[in-house]
Amino acid sequence: MTDPAWLDEEEQETWRAFLWTSRLLNEALDRQLQRDSGLPHAYYMILAMLSESPGRALTMTELAAIVHSSPSRLSHAVNRLEEAGWVRRVKHPDDRRTTIAELTDAGFAVLAEAAPGHVAEVRRHLFDPLSREEMLRFRETLHALLASLDPDREAPCADGKG
Amino acid sequence: MTDPAWLDEEEQETWRAFLWTSRLLNEALDRQLQRDSGLPHAYYMILAMLSESPGRALTMTELAAIVHSSPSRLSHAVNRLEEAGWVRRVKHPDDRRTTIAELTDAGFAVLAEAAPGHVAEVRRHLFDPLSREEMLRFRETLHALLASLDPDREAPCADGKG
DNA sequence: CAGTATCAGTTGAGTGTTCAACCAAACCGA
DNA sequence: TCGGTTTGGTTGAACACTCAACTGATACTG
């Protein structure tokens, strides 16, 4: 039996491989986006998710759920994006608590300019090294982990800009 | 043929699943470590890697390579760890450029206290949801990605304290 | 309806990370 | 041995994230 309080060598290696892979991938993407568009990855994601939504707008709470961000983080981020003129805050007409974040035309333009390079980077690092079959198995494994990490979550939205 | 400038739906979903999984896992571990030991995950890793090294000491450059950190980040981190009394900086006797980071007894004690809870969290989130076979396939995929992300790197060290 | 709880979102302080600039020691070539 | 380069490492400013505290608006409950 394996000692539940420790990791055996294969687990150990798997764990570190996962850690380094996710770190390196995130850093590569962050660097690419920062260099080519001056956007951190988290900010790019906010613009991307807004662009896919009806009216290019979402309430802060919806947006926070979609980009997996804390309310606080999102609020700070939208402050920056608003200063840059890429997002606009609008009050909800029926519920005066909620504020709506809306992608501006300038924001859409920045996103459109950044997207191809970003997608290319994702493809290069994540999909080029994997066969289709391997990719699909990888996806299943990730879904299993997600189900455990985040039991009560809806399926994420989908389209190619991510 | 697939358009190389865009992601199809399966790729899209794989990519986002990877993103959320790594984010959620990292956040879970960071929260657990912060709560139980007051250590960010990156700092825990520094202590852990030092503890596995001969003499519980490494040069800054070696340490940076092992924990996949930039020199700057490591230097700032070691500043904090030194203030806390968990690490000590020593000058290298033969090469006066290099400085050696050495784990103190207090640092080892903190690590020893933090390790079991951390390992349990890793196990809970990463290994419990996966069959052994699935885990091993997962590892192979990660190695393929790593090879592409970081072509000229040595094999990481190993032991159960991850 | 009052009173309380909950929801939506923001703020500020503290902390960690990044990036560019910098310094000193060691190496290298003529 | 002198100048340039590389190596090892640090620093400070700018920026992002976390956590706890807070405000206002709405929903529930007796």
Side-chain angles (χ1 to χ4, degrees), chain A:
Chain A
M1 348 177 354
T2 64
D3 179 358
W6 225 241
L7 301 180
D8 66 38
E9 199 166 328
E10 287 172 334
E11 289 169 334
Q12 171 72 13
E13 231 203 281
T14 305
W15 163 227
R16 293 201 179 162
F18 181 77
L19 211 50
W20 300 151
T21 303
S22 67
R23 278 254 295 255
L24 289 174
L25 193 43
N26 269 297
E27 284 170 9
L29 291 170
D30 245 350
R31 261 198 309 278
Q32 181 268 326
L33 276 172
Q34 195 73 50
R35 174 166 43 74
D36 294 357
S37 325
L39 277 172
H41 189 212
Y43 288 28
Y44 173 90
M45 204 59 98
I46 290 173
L47 299 185
M49 294 304 105
L50 284 176
S51 81
E52 297 177 13
S53 303
R56 291 180 189 167
L58 288 170
T59 69
M60 294 298 276
T61 311
E62 291 165 344
L63 186 50
I66 291 179
V67 303
H68 294 240
S69 173
S70 71
S72 168
R73 176 151 109 203
L74 180 61
S75 189
H76 285 299
V78 170
N79 283 344
R80 302 289 176 165
L81 293 172
E82 208 172 11
E83 285 166 23
W86 297 332
V87 165
R88 181 171 36 236
R89 270 188 244 244
V90 183
K91 275 320 222 177
H92 190 293
D94 297 346
D95 186 338
R96 284 184 306 176
R97 288 173 302 183
T98 103
T99 104
I100 297 170
E102 203 179 283
L103 189 63
T104 65
D105 290 345
F108 190 80
V110 167
L111 180 64
E113 161 122 23
H118 174 66
V119 170
E121 194 79 350
V122 173
R123 179 173 298 288
R124 192 159 75 83
H125 289 308
L126 187 57
F127 297 116
D128 287 351
L130 265 37
S131 72
R132 189 88 193 172
E133 192 194 352
E134 206 172 5
M135 187 261 274
L136 293 175
R137 272 207 310 270
F138 189 51
R139 183 179 63 156
E140 289 323 302
T141 302
L142 292 171
H143 281 324
L145 294 174
L146 267 184
S148 140
L149 279 162
D150 194 8
D152 37 35
R153 152 169 298 278
E154 290 311 297
C157 44
D159 116 343
K161 293 169 205 155

Side-chain angles (χ1 to χ4, degrees), chain B residues 88-151:
Chain B
R88 184 171 35 235
R89 270 188 242 243
V90 184
K91 274 321 220 178
H92 191 292
D94 296 346
D95 185 337
R96 286 185 305 178
R97 287 171 303 182
T98 104
T99 104
I100 297 170
E102 203 179 282
L103 189 63
T104 65
D105 290 346
F108 189 81
V110 168
L111 180 64
E113 162 122 24
H118 174 65
V119 170
E121 194 79 352
V122 172
R123 179 173 297 291
R124 192 160 74 83
H125 289 308
L126 187 57
F127 297 116
D128 287 351
L130 264 38
S131 71
R132 189 89 194 172
E133 192 194 354
E134 205 172 5
M135 186 261 275
L136 293 175
R137 270 207 311 268
F138 190 51
R139 184 180 61 156
E140 289 321 301
T141 301
L142 292 171
H143 281 324
L145 293 174
L146 267 184
S148 138
L149 278 162
D150 194 7

Side-chain angles (χ1 to χ4, degrees), chain B:
Chain B
M1 342 176 3
T2 65
D3 180 357
W6 225 240
L7 301 180
D8 66 39
E9 199 165 329
E10 286 172 333
E11 289 169 332
Q12 172 72 11
E13 230 203 280
T14 304
W15 163 229
R16 291 200 179 162
F18 181 77
L19 212 49
W20 300 151
T21 304
S22 67
R23 278 254 294 255
L24 289 173
L25 192 43
N26 270 298
E27 284 170 9
L29 292 170
D30 244 351
R31 262 197 308 278
Q32 180 268 325
L33 275 172
Q34 195 73 49
R35 173 166 45 72
D36 295 356
S37 323
L39 277 172
H41 188 213
Y43 289 27
Y44 173 90
M45 203 58 97
I46 290 172
L47 300 185
M49 294 304 105
L50 283 177
S51 81
E52 297 176 14
S53 301
R56 291 181 190 165
L58 288 170
T59 69
M60 295 297 277
T61 311
E62 290 165 346
L63 186 49
I66 291 178
V67 302
H68 294 240
S69 173
S70 70
S72 167
R73 175 151 110 205
L74 180 61
S75 189
H76 285 299
V78 169
N79 284 343
R80 302 289 176 168
L81 293 172
E82 207 172 13
E83 285 166 23
W86 297 333
V87 165
R88 184 171 35 235
R89 270 188 242 243
V90 184
K91 274 321 220 178
H92 191 292
D94 296 346
D95 185 337
R96 286 185 305 178
R97 287 171 303 182
T98 104
T99 104
I100 297 170
E102 203 179 282
L103 189 63
T104 65
D105 290 346
F108 189 81
V110 168
L111 180 64
E113 162 122 24
H118 174 65
V119 170
E121 194 79 352
V122 172
R123 179 173 297 291
R124 192 160 74 83
H125 289 308
L126 187 57
F127 297 116
D128 287 351
L130 264 38
S131 71
R132 189 89 194 172
E133 192 194 354
E134 205 172 5
M135 186 261 275
L136 293 175
R137 270 207 311 268
F138 190 51
R139 184 180 61 156
E140 289 321 301
T141 301
L142 292 171
H143 281 324
L145 293 174
L146 267 184
S148 138
L149 278 162
D150 194 7
D152 37 33
R153 152 168 300 279
E154 290 311 295
C157 43
D159 115 343
K161 292 170 203 153

